[in-house]
Amino acid sequence: MQHIPTVAIVDDDDGVRSSLTSLIRSLGYKARSYGSAPQFLADRETDDPDCMIADIQMPEMTGDELQAALIAAGRRFPMIFMTAFPTAITRERVMAAGACAFLDKPAEPDTIARHLAAALARGHD
């Protein structure tokens, strides 16, 4: 049986989560969505995803803080970040820590699909 990649979506905006979930599923992947970084970290019922798409600006814990927490815990998988408030400092930090992409919101579906395919081809570090 062929493995169908699972993509975790972490974003506090319901509309963004819903549209990304629809896009991910239309591309033939499985999608799991979370409304916050702590909600993702609290999910002990499922295995790590094959890739994560996360917002940067979220309450409680930012996307780059989530990335740092995952790396510190030895949980490594491809990550794509999206934000409506891009800064060079944040972009440099997440990319230096191994992110596959840093996209400005709103990102075009074709752009997301292209980066997601590249991230999944890259696989786990």
Side-chain angles (χ1 to χ4, degrees):
M1 179 178 257
Q2 185 179 5
H3 172 73
I4 298 173
T6 298
V7 179
I9 300 157
V10 184
D11 197 304
D12 60 311
D13 184 307
D14 292 339
V16 171
R17 278 197 322 276
S18 177
S19 63
L20 279 174
T21 296
S22 294
L23 174 63
I24 299 306
R25 290 183 177 150
S26 75
L27 295 171
Y29 307 125
K30 295 177 188 172
R32 294 194 320 247
S33 67
Y34 304 87
S36 70
Q39 186 183 31
F40 174 82
L41 292 172
D43 181 1
R44 305 270 186 226
E45 300 299 313
T46 56
D47 292 332
D48 279 345
D50 295 288
C51 185
M52 172 185 283
I53 299 175
D55 189 14
I56 291 289
Q57 296 294 331
M58 294 184 287
E60 299 180 70
M61 177 184 250
T62 65
D64 47 327
E65 290 170 341
L66 171 60
Q67 180 190 38
L70 290 167
I71 291 169
R75 298 172 67 185
R76 295 187 178 268
F77 42 83
M79 296 179 192
I80 296 170
F81 291 96
M82 295 176 44
T83 184
F85 306 100
T87 66
I89 292 170
T90 303
R91 179 185 308 269
E92 290 168 14
R93 182 171 49 246
V94 299
M95 295 303 289
C100 297
F102 186 91
L103 307 176
D104 295 355
K105 284 184 177 179
E108 292 295 321
D110 289 347
T111 300
I112 296 169
R114 186 176 72 253
H115 285 287
L116 181 57
L120 289 168
R122 175 180 162 179
H124 295 252
D125 288 341

